[in-house]
Amino acid sequence: MNYLNEIIQNGIGWFHFITSVVALITGLVVILNPKGTLFHKRIGYIYVVSMLSLNVSSFFIVNFGGFSLFHFFAIVSLVSIAGGMLPTLQKKENWLSYHYYFMSWSVVGLYCAFWSEIGTRFVGNMKEFWWMVMLATALTAAVGGAIIHTKAKKFKI
């Protein structure tokens, strides 16, 4: 536990860490289970709340001297959550397609961010950090995109 205290130095860091773990788990559970069920909706709402909490908390964490690429992607993540949730509330034409794509990419983006976070915590050399993060992110996005595309065909979205 002392090692974690060296990585996560304050309360906002712990909050960010806990909400990220909840989001990683619930996002994966939603992706792997049948869609449209009460279970999907309940776990999905836990995912959304944890993602909103995670993204908002990220703006209270300063890295690289201030506003950084991580903060930019937190904004992108907030947009993807909004893009996935608004259609479910409005139920307009093609709402399911929008919900599916935005929420699926939200989970993929979260796992891409996971690799960035691992890189910032455990890779000391900045040159190695950027290569590792770019490679892990590209692979995660490619695999996630392929899965999203395949499942979209299955659901005829």
Side-chain angles (χ1 to χ4, degrees):
M1 194 65 155
N2 285 338
Y3 186 65
L4 272 179
N5 286 331
E6 292 174 18
I7 296 171
I8 306 167
Q9 288 99 19
N10 57 34
I12 201 72
W14 277 104
F15 180 79
H16 188 75
F17 173 75
I18 291 166
T19 56
S20 67
V21 170
V22 171
L24 286 164
I25 293 168
T26 56
L28 187 62
V29 168
V30 167
I31 293 292
L32 295 177
N33 282 283
K35 310 300 175 256
T37 64
L38 183 59
F39 180 74
H40 169 86
K41 291 174 187 174
R42 287 183 177 164
I43 298 298
Y45 280 118
I46 294 169
Y47 172 76
V48 168
V49 169
S50 64
M51 284 298 292
L52 293 173
S53 301
L54 171 65
N55 285 311
V56 169
S57 71
S58 75
F59 294 110
F60 295 94
I61 299 171
V62 177
N63 51 25
F64 300 107
F67 188 87
S68 70
L69 197 57
F70 295 116
H71 298 112
F72 170 78
F73 281 112
I75 293 168
V76 171
S77 178
L78 287 168
V79 169
S80 72
I81 293 294
M85 288 307 296
L86 289 176
T88 64
L89 301 173
Q90 297 171 338
K91 300 277 198 233
K92 292 182 179 177
E93 187 177 347
N94 293 328
W95 73 269
L96 185 58
S97 295
Y98 289 109
H99 175 71
Y100 172 76
Y101 277 107
F102 276 100
M103 295 310 286
S104 296
W105 278 109
S106 170
V107 174
V108 171
L110 175 63
Y111 276 88
C112 289
F114 169 76
W115 295 119
S116 296
E117 201 55 40
I118 293 294
T120 61
R121 304 292 177 216
F122 299 106
V123 179
N125 181 326
M126 285 305 280
K127 189 176 181 181
E128 291 174 7
F129 162 77
W130 289 111
W131 281 109
M132 189 218 57
V133 168
M134 287 190 315
L135 180 61
T137 299
L139 287 171
T140 301
V143 170
I147 293 168
I148 291 168
H149 184 68
T150 300
K151 287 192 174 207
K153 284 182 182 178
K154 179 181 174 184
F155 292 118
K156 295 183 173 100
I157 295 174

